[in-house]
Amino acid sequence: MKIKLENTFITDNTLECEKGCFFLKTEQNKQFENEALKKECKIIDVKECKKILNIDENIKIIGITGTNGKTTTAAAIYSILLDLGYKCGLCGTRGAFINDEQIDEKSLTTSAILKTLEYLKIATQKGCEFFVMEVSSHALVQNRIEGLKFAAKIFTNITQDHLDFHQNFENYKQAKELFFTDESLKFINKDALAIKFNVKNAFTYGIENPSLYQIKAYSLENGINAVAMIKNTTFHIESPMLGLFNLYNLLAASACVNELVKPNLDDLEKAINHFGGVCGRVEQVADGVIVDFAHTPDGIEKVLDALKNKKLIVVFGAGGNRDRTKRPLMGKVVEHFAKTAIITSDNPRDEDPKIIIEEIASGFKEPKKALMIEDRKEAIKKALELKEKDDLVVILGKGDEETQEIKGVKYPFSDKLVVNEILRIN
């Protein structure tokens, strides 16, 4: 990509280089430095790039990492800060936003560093005091956040995912640990410490284990209704959002904002409770139909557990070219919770969707009980046909994604739009 300047531009791609431009050298592309020099480019690092782009070094960057919960926690912090009167930016799976305006479409969880610097440049121009971003394990290993100074970092949880990239769970844990070795404020989910962090002065939050930010009582019957405590002060979290996992997300967001800006707790409480959730995350898209992004065994379990008071018809699949070992585990979880399970395509990418479906089905004690419908639209249609009065159809894996990737091509596909089309909802 390139960022245009008055008389030249900055790029991180030697294919775009030309005489006099700036080439941003990073850990990812440093092997191409000589090629950039041959094209008479000026070589700069991230620090120099920030100066050229006039990025405000005082913007407080907040990073969230974890297997699940990054998107909702980041969105909650962003929403709370805006409601408290601060100007703020956000980037992650859902795209990039500045002061409640979307400036870029959905992309990687964590963009390449030059793209992030472009967002920070815009955030500076718009007067932002804070910038919230999701940080993936891939980005940590690939140095996609190099040169960024974080004011605060949050660890949500860690469960099996991305073993196609990290090879084993230990490597995955170590990738997360890389994020917590600086002097930023750190917020750690004490109930999810499956990893030993080298952490100094960490703020803890939790429900089961004694923590600085502690849930003292809660109900999840009709959304979230909880009493949270910091030291000897209590505040209430009330939200239409569903599930224990979302209570953790809201607790992490409130802890982070409270330590960063020290707001009046009444104002913080109002801002927390104003946040209504994220599209595609336990989103009711029609009467008795829920769409969610969950695509890991743990993520699926948390969502279905939150909805277990209903008779569940679950439509789900698994992404191709990704961790194959989690597929039977996903099947096992769905079989435990679902009245009816329909296994279908997710984003098969370069893999044969039939093989992916078979690998998921291998996790069922009784594979024959699972319906296997390769065409995702037909699978959703079947679920809606089978739905009875008190059933809840839960469509997992893609959330608010608007495409389906098959053999290198991204075709338009939205679970929500498909549901609306089938039900003829306008």
Side-chain angles (χ1 to χ4, degrees), residues 353-365:
K354 291 186 179 66
I355 294 175
I356 297 174
I357 289 170
E358 289 170 0
E359 290 181 348
I360 294 170
S362 70
F364 281 70
K365 289 181 180 178

Side-chain angles (χ1 to χ4, degrees), residues 290-424:
I290 295 284
V291 166
D292 190 80
F293 188 64
H295 58 279
T296 68
D298 181 70
I300 291 172
E301 181 176 10
K302 284 181 168 61
V303 170
L304 298 185
D305 185 64
L307 304 172
K308 66 184 178 183
N309 61 324
K310 294 280 190 178
K311 295 177 182 178
L312 304 180
I313 300 173
V314 181
V315 181
F316 74 116
N321 303 107
R322 298 294 187 268
D323 179 11
R324 296 177 64 178
T325 65
K326 71 179 182 180
R327 294 172 187 172
L329 301 177
M330 294 165 68
K332 181 179 180 181
V333 171
V334 172
E335 183 180 31
H336 175 74
F337 285 97
K339 164 191 169 183
T340 303
I342 303 176
I343 310 175
T344 188
S345 290
D346 190 296
N347 291 308
R349 300 185 176 88
D350 297 322
E351 287 193 62
D352 183 343
K354 291 186 179 66
I355 294 175
I356 297 174
I357 289 170
E358 289 170 0
E359 290 181 348
I360 294 170
S362 70
F364 281 70
K365 289 181 180 178
E366 299 182 58
K368 290 182 180 179
K369 284 191 175 182
L371 299 178
M372 302 181 199
I373 304 174
E374 182 180 333
D375 185 291
R376 191 173 180 91
K377 183 175 180 179
E378 289 301 314
I380 294 171
K381 183 178 180 182
K382 184 65 175 178
L384 296 174
E385 289 173 353
L386 292 172
K387 184 181 180 301
E388 297 178 336
K389 183 180 178 182
D390 295 326
D391 291 344
L392 182 65
V393 174
V394 185
I395 306 168
L396 299 175
K398 292 176 60 60
D400 62 343
E401 288 183 0
E402 297 176 347
T403 61
Q404 185 176 34
E405 186 176 346
I406 304 171
K407 300 295 183 185
V409 179
K410 291 186 177 181
Y411 297 93
F413 195 99
S414 161
D415 287 345
K416 180 177 181 177
L417 292 181
V418 167
V419 170
N420 290 346
E421 179 187 331
I422 294 170
L423 297 178
R424 292 186 174 84

Side-chain angles (χ1 to χ4, degrees), residues 167-179:
Q167 302 303 316
N168 58 61
F169 192 70
E170 186 59 34
N171 289 344
Y172 182 38
K173 289 197 293 184
Q174 288 176 4
K176 295 295 186 187
E177 189 175 18
L178 288 172
F179 195 46

Side-chain angles (χ1 to χ4, degrees), residues 51 67 77 87 94 142 172 174 185 189 195 210 221 227 231 252 266 293 329 331-332 352 357 364-365 376:
K51 289 182 179 179
T67 307
I77 293 170
K87 293 183 177 181
R94 297 168 56 237
Q142 295 171 347
Y172 182 38
Q174 288 176 4
L185 296 178
N189 180 352
I195 178 172
E221 288 184 14
V227 177
K231 298 177 182 176
D266 288 340
F293 188 64
L329 301 177
K332 181 179 180 181
D352 183 343
I357 289 170
F364 281 70
K365 289 181 180 178
R376 191 173 180 91

